[in-house]
Amino acid sequence: MRILVMNPNTTASMTASIRATATTAAAPGTEIIATEPLWGPESIEGHFEGYLSAAAVLDRLATLDLAFDALVMAGFGEPGREGAQELLDVPVLDITESAAQMAMMLGHAYGIVTTLDRAVPQIRDRLLTAGLLQRCAAVRGTGLGVLELEEDAERTVEVFIETAREAVRDGAEVICLGCGGMAGLQEKVAAALGVPVVDGVAAAVKFAEAVVGLGLTTSTGRSFAPPRPKAIGSWPLSAHLAPGRAQGSPRRTAFSAQTSGI
C-alpha cells in the first residue's frame, strides 16, 4: 500500500517532519511518500493563505505522475479536501477530521491546541461543517506561528503543554495536535498531562490504511462526483513551473488540461 501525504505549505523541512511521523505510524508494508506544492505560501495562517494553498495543492495533485492508494492532507483546518475528493479516485483523508474522529473514540470530549489564535475560528468552522464540533471542549492557540514551531523545540513543547492544560481545564479528555508541523510532540505532551494526545498525521495514516484495506473509497454518487469537463485557463500551473512533467494525474481527472498561457 502506498500513501501520499501532502504538506499544504512549501516549507520542505516541515514536509520532512510530517513524512517522519507518517512513516512511524504506518504499518509494515505501507510506503509513505510526502511532498508539497510547487508554489504557494511557506506557511498557512489564515483564510487567504489557506485558499491559496488549496489551489496549489489541487494543482500539484493534477500533475503528479505517481500511483498511490490514498491521500492524506496534512493541513489542519485548511480548505481543499473536498476538491481532492472530486479529483482523485482514491480515499482522501485530512488530519483535522481524522484527529477529531480518533479523539472521540478515546474520550467524551476533546480539545485542539493549534498555532495562532486567529486559526481558532477557522478550525471551529471546519469541525462544524464536518459535524464534529459538538464534542469539542476547546480550541486554543499557543500564540506560536507555524514556522516558529521548528525554531526552538523546547519552547514549543513548554508552550504547547501550558496551552493544553487550559484545554483540559475546559473539559477536554483528549488533546489533538492542531497543526501538521506539531507532528512528534504527542509523547512529551501526553506524559506531562496524563491524557491521550492524538497526532492528526498519524491518525489519518491509520484511517487511510483501514479504508484501503476494506476496499473502500470516496462515494462519487453525489457530493464528490468528478469535476465536469471544461477548459480551465493556465491549468495546471505546475506543468508550466516544472517543464517535462506529465500533464494530468494518473488518477481521475475529468476536466480539460487545456491552457491559455500564464
Side-chain angles (χ1 to χ4, degrees):
M1 182 186 308
R2 176 184 282 179
I3 298 176
L4 175 66
V5 181
M6 178 66 70
N7 173 17
N9 66 47
T10 57
T11 300
S13 60
M14 199 160 290
T15 302
S17 175
I18 291 169
R19 179 189 297 111
T21 296
T23 300
T24 299
T30 296
E31 180 184 1
I32 298 295
I33 299 174
T35 190
E36 66 275 333
L38 298 183
W39 58 274
E42 62 180 351
S43 65
I44 304 165
E45 294 166 329
H47 294 286
F48 173 71
E49 292 163 351
Y51 283 108
L52 281 179
S53 168
V57 165
L58 294 173
D59 182 272
R60 181 78 164 114
L61 290 172
T63 55
L64 272 178
D65 187 14
L66 175 71
F68 50 93
D69 300 296
L71 170 68
V72 168
M73 301 183 73
F76 209 97
E78 280 86 47
R81 190 212 65 204
E82 295 89 348
Q85 286 178 296
E86 292 183 4
L87 180 68
L88 305 177
D89 60 5
V90 299
V92 177
L93 297 98
D94 81 307
I95 65 173
T96 313
E97 294 186 21
S98 295
Q101 293 279 11
M102 186 165 286
M104 290 192 299
M105 299 177 190
L106 304 175
H108 179 266
Y110 67 95
I112 294 172
V113 177
T114 187
T115 51
L116 300 179
D117 182 67
R118 65 175 295 170
V120 171
Q122 192 170 350
I123 291 172
R124 292 183 63 87
D125 285 349
R126 187 71 188 176
L127 296 173
L128 178 63
T129 300
L132 300 169
L133 186 59
Q134 185 175 358
R135 287 173 60 185
C136 181
V139 182
R140 288 187 167 271
T142 59
L144 296 174
V146 173
L147 299 181
E148 289 182 82
L149 297 174
E150 297 182 335
E151 291 179 358
D152 187 335
E154 186 174 337
R155 178 171 176 262
T156 296
V157 171
E158 290 176 357
V159 173
F160 191 98
I161 290 173
E162 180 182 346
T163 308
R165 283 201 175 101
E166 297 174 0
V168 171
R169 286 195 289 269
D170 289 335
E173 299 171 5
V174 183
I175 295 295
C176 298
L177 306 182
C179 174
M182 292 176 172
L185 296 180
Q186 61 270 27
E187 291 185 5
K188 292 181 179 179
V189 177
L193 297 180
V195 301
V197 177
V198 178
D199 177 273
V201 173
V205 167
K206 302 312 289 185
F207 279 133
E209 288 178 334
V211 172
V212 173
L214 290 169
L216 300 172
T217 192
T218 306
S219 171
T220 60
R222 192 180 188 188
S223 301
F224 304 118
R228 298 184 65 187
K230 64 186 67 175
I232 303 177
S234 299
W235 175 271
L237 178 60
S238 292
H240 299 273
L241 296 177
R245 289 184 180 273
Q247 291 196 22
S249 166
R251 301 300 180 181
R252 181 179 71 225
T253 49
F255 57 80
S256 168
Q258 295 176 17
T259 62
S260 59
I262 298 176

